[in-house]
Amino acid sequence: MNPAKVTDENSAKTSAAKTSAAKTHGKSGNPAKRNNPALRGHNTVKSASAADWISGARLRTLPLAIAPVALGTGAAIVASEPGVYHPVRALLALIVALCLQIGVNYANDYSDGIRGTDDFRVGPARLTAAGAAQPRTVLTVALAFFALAAVAGLVLVLLTQYWWLLIVGVIAIAAAWLYTGGKKPYGYFGLGELFVFVFFGLVATMGTTYVQVGRVNVESWLSAVGIGLIACAVLMVNNLRDIEPDTAAGKRTLAVLMGPKWGRVVFCVFLLLPFVFVGFFSLFYPLAFLTFFVLLIALPACLIAVTGRSAGELILALKLTSIAALAYGVLLGLAFAL
C-alpha cells in the first residue's frame, strides 16, 4: 500500500466534504429561497433593459389608477358650480394614483423576489426573482415612486389646505408597502382584495372628488364601490392564475383560501356587480347607459375565467378585466361630467 496515495485520497474526500458543507451551509428549508437568484452572488445579476423595467411597472394594472380618478373627477364636476373645474387638482390626484400603483408593483417585485415567492411564478418574469436587477435597485425605484406620490399629495394638501389628508397619504403608502412587504404582509393572508377595494376604490375615487370640491356626493360614493369591486376582480383573476405557485410558496391569497371553483365565482361577482350601479345612474344620467357596453369586455372575461384552465387563458382574462376597469371609469365619469 502506498501511504502517499492513501493520504491523497483522504485529503480529496475531506475537501469534497467541506465543499458539500459549504454549499449546504446557510440554506433555507424553503426551496424558493435556496433557488432564488436575488439571494445568490452578485455575479448572477445582469443589467435590466428598459423593456424589463417597463414590464416591471406592469402597465396593465395602471387602469386601476386612472379609472377612480376619472370617476372622482366626474363626480366633482356634478358637485361643482356650473363652469367651475379643477384640472390641476385632478391631474395631481392622477399622479398620486399612478405613482402609488407603479410603486406598489415594484415593491411587490422586490418583496416577493427576496422571499422566493416568485420562484414559483407561471406568469411574466419579475426583475428581482429573475436576477435582471439588484434587489436594492428595485427597492430604490419603488421608494422613488412612493416619494413622487408623496410630493404630488403634499402639493394637493397645500392647494386645498386639507392637512388631515397627510394622514391618509401616509396610510396609503404604508398599505402599498405592507401588501407584500414587512414581516407579515397582509397580501399573504387573504386580505389583498379588502385593501384594494378600500384604497383603489373608495379612497382613490372619493379622495379625488373631495380635493376638488371639499365634499363627497352620491355619485362619488357609489362609483367608488363599483370601481373598487372591479379592482378586486383584477386581483382575484391574477391570483387565480397563481393558485398553485402561491400555495407552494406559502402565500395564502383569497384565491388560495377559497379554491379555484369559488374563486372564479367570486371573480364574476366582483366584475359584474358594479353594473347594477350603472343601471341606477342611467335613471339620472342618460349617457351612463353607454357604460353597459363595457359588458362586451366583462362577459368574455368572466367566460374565460370560468372555463379557462391554463395560465395564458387567465392572463387574457386579466387583461380584459383591466380594460373593462378603464372603460367603466372613463365612460361613467364622462356621463357625470357631460
Side-chain angles (χ1 to χ4, degrees), residues 78-319:
V78 171
S80 299
E81 296 294 330
V84 177
Y85 305 100
H86 297 282
V88 174
R89 297 183 187 186
L91 179 60
L92 287 169
L94 179 61
I95 292 173
V96 171
L98 286 172
C99 288
L100 280 178
Q101 180 65 66
I102 296 173
V104 76
N105 288 341
Y106 283 124
N108 292 348
D109 189 306
Y110 167 78
S111 296
D112 283 343
I114 63 172
R115 275 193 174 86
T117 305
D118 281 342
D119 284 10
F120 297 93
R121 275 180 64 81
V122 293
R126 298 276 185 87
L127 290 164
T128 305
Q134 286 279 9
R136 184 177 294 275
T137 304
V138 179
L139 174 60
T140 301
V141 172
L143 295 178
F145 276 100
F146 288 150
L148 288 173
V151 170
L154 180 59
V155 174
L156 261 177
V157 169
L158 292 173
L159 288 175
T160 62
Q161 296 294 297
Y162 300 141
W163 296 100
W164 61 271
L165 288 177
L166 289 174
I167 299 174
V168 177
V170 170
I171 294 173
I173 292 175
W177 170 253
L178 294 174
Y179 174 56
T180 56
K183 293 183 178 179
K184 293 184 178 181
Y186 63 82
Y188 281 57
F189 297 95
L191 296 175
E193 282 77 4
L194 174 60
F195 280 79
V196 163
F197 176 78
V198 171
F199 288 99
F200 286 95
L202 304 184
V203 173
T205 306
M206 294 191 292
T208 299
T209 303
Y210 191 84
V211 296
Q212 294 183 60
V213 296
R215 62 190 181 90
V216 178
N217 51 13
V218 174
E219 289 81 0
S220 185
W221 269 102
L222 294 183
S223 63
V225 173
I227 197 62
L229 289 171
I230 296 179
C232 290
V234 171
L235 182 58
M236 175 61 80
V237 73
N238 181 73
N239 290 339
L240 282 171
R241 178 199 65 191
D242 294 333
I243 282 182
E244 291 187 10
D246 283 346
T247 301
K251 185 176 182 179
R252 301 172 62 197
T253 64
L254 185 61
V256 170
L257 295 174
M258 300 189 73
K261 178 180 177 180
W262 285 106
R264 294 168 199 269
V265 172
V266 171
F267 164 75
C268 293
V269 172
F270 282 155
L271 186 52
L272 299 181
L273 187 58
F275 290 93
V276 173
F277 302 123
V278 174
F280 172 76
F281 286 130
S282 296
L283 299 175
F284 307 97
Y285 300 96
L287 291 179
F289 182 80
L290 296 176
T291 310
F292 279 119
F293 282 102
V294 180
L295 286 170
L296 296 176
I297 305 171
L299 290 174
C302 289
L303 180 62
I304 294 170
V306 170
T307 61
R309 293 296 179 267
S310 69
E313 289 172 308
L314 292 175
I315 290 174
L316 176 57
L318 171 61
K319 291 178 179 178

